[in-house]
Amino acid sequence: MASPNTPKMTAGLLRSYSEAALRNADELLAEASLLHANGHNARAYFLAVACIEEAGKALLAFDTQNRNLSDPAVCTKLKANMESHAQKITYALGIWALSNPDPREALKVALDLIFDLKRGREPSMYTDLCANPDRVQTPQGVVRANAARDCIRLAHSSLDYAQRHFREKTPFQFTTAQDKLFTMKSRKLQETLETEDFWWYFISRREAGHQDIAEAVLGYERDHISIGTRFRPAQ
């Protein structure tokens, strides 16, 4: 049962949320730049990461307006994604990379950046106790001026892309299968994707003109996993 304090997800609410997040991202970037200009590198880095997160949240809210918002499972998963630091960073930089003229190379860069931002977010704001050697770690000791500068530049690029995405794109249209895949448990999906027999099933479907991987995952679950059979007999 949904919490009485949880608003009902609608396309209009998601649109408003995305617009508010985009405005906040712009303010965070301005504040990060101001802090960096005055030598506050750790806080500048943290706010730049926050800007990227807000850009990711804005993109998530915008792109998912046409999901099946009458399905509680879809709303729960969507809300969790928009509250996850990692998911927001990943979405912001992943979508930005895919818009690049060379998405393959851009994705390689984005994956490294995503890892660095997830790892650097907390140390840029909080003190910590570390070992090997035993020491107190401070944000000022972790974040150098060039790291803050580079993070601000990345935030600027992410925000520029998000703003362009809003101007030029329309929210995605999702099929029933895509919504079901969205709410599938991560471990269950991973197990399917790591099964060689599934990929033979997927290749067969593609050869027959069925391109949607969501339909393939659900079809394999229905036709094979649920009844304990293989698509291809064991060799």
Side-chain angles (χ1 to χ4, degrees), residues 98-155:
L98 289 173
S99 72
N100 194 280
D102 187 353
R104 182 183 180 88
E105 287 303 312
L107 277 172
K108 290 180 182 178
V109 173
L111 288 172
D112 287 337
L113 292 171
I114 288 167
F115 175 79
D116 289 341
L117 293 178
K118 290 177 183 177
R119 185 180 60 182
R121 181 186 181 278
E122 295 288 317
S124 71
M125 180 56 75
Y126 305 107
T127 56
D128 199 5
L129 288 175
C130 300
N132 301 317
D134 296 346
R135 67 194 188 281
V136 174
Q137 177 177 281
T138 66
Q140 294 81 2
V142 171
V143 181
R144 295 184 174 86
N146 62 342
R149 180 200 63 215
D150 291 346
C151 194
I152 289 170
R153 287 176 178 172
L154 179 61

Side-chain angles (χ1 to χ4, degrees), residues 2-77:
S3 165
N5 297 318
T6 301
K8 178 178 173 57
M9 291 277 194
T10 65
L13 185 62
L14 287 174
R15 177 76 189 204
S16 296
Y17 195 29
S18 65
E19 291 169 350
L22 203 61
R23 288 194 299 271
N24 193 41
D26 192 48
E27 293 172 4
L28 286 165
L29 180 59
E31 291 161 8
S33 300
L34 183 61
L35 285 167
H36 180 249
N38 286 275
H40 299 288
N41 298 315
R43 300 298 183 260
Y45 183 98
F46 186 86
L47 289 189
V49 175
C51 169
I52 294 169
E53 289 187 35
E54 283 291 88
K57 180 194 292 179
L59 289 166
L60 273 165
F62 178 84
D63 287 343
T64 55
Q65 291 176 70
N66 291 329
R67 282 202 180 275
N68 180 11
L69 300 176
S70 63
D71 184 342
V74 169
C75 295
T76 298
K77 182 67 176 289

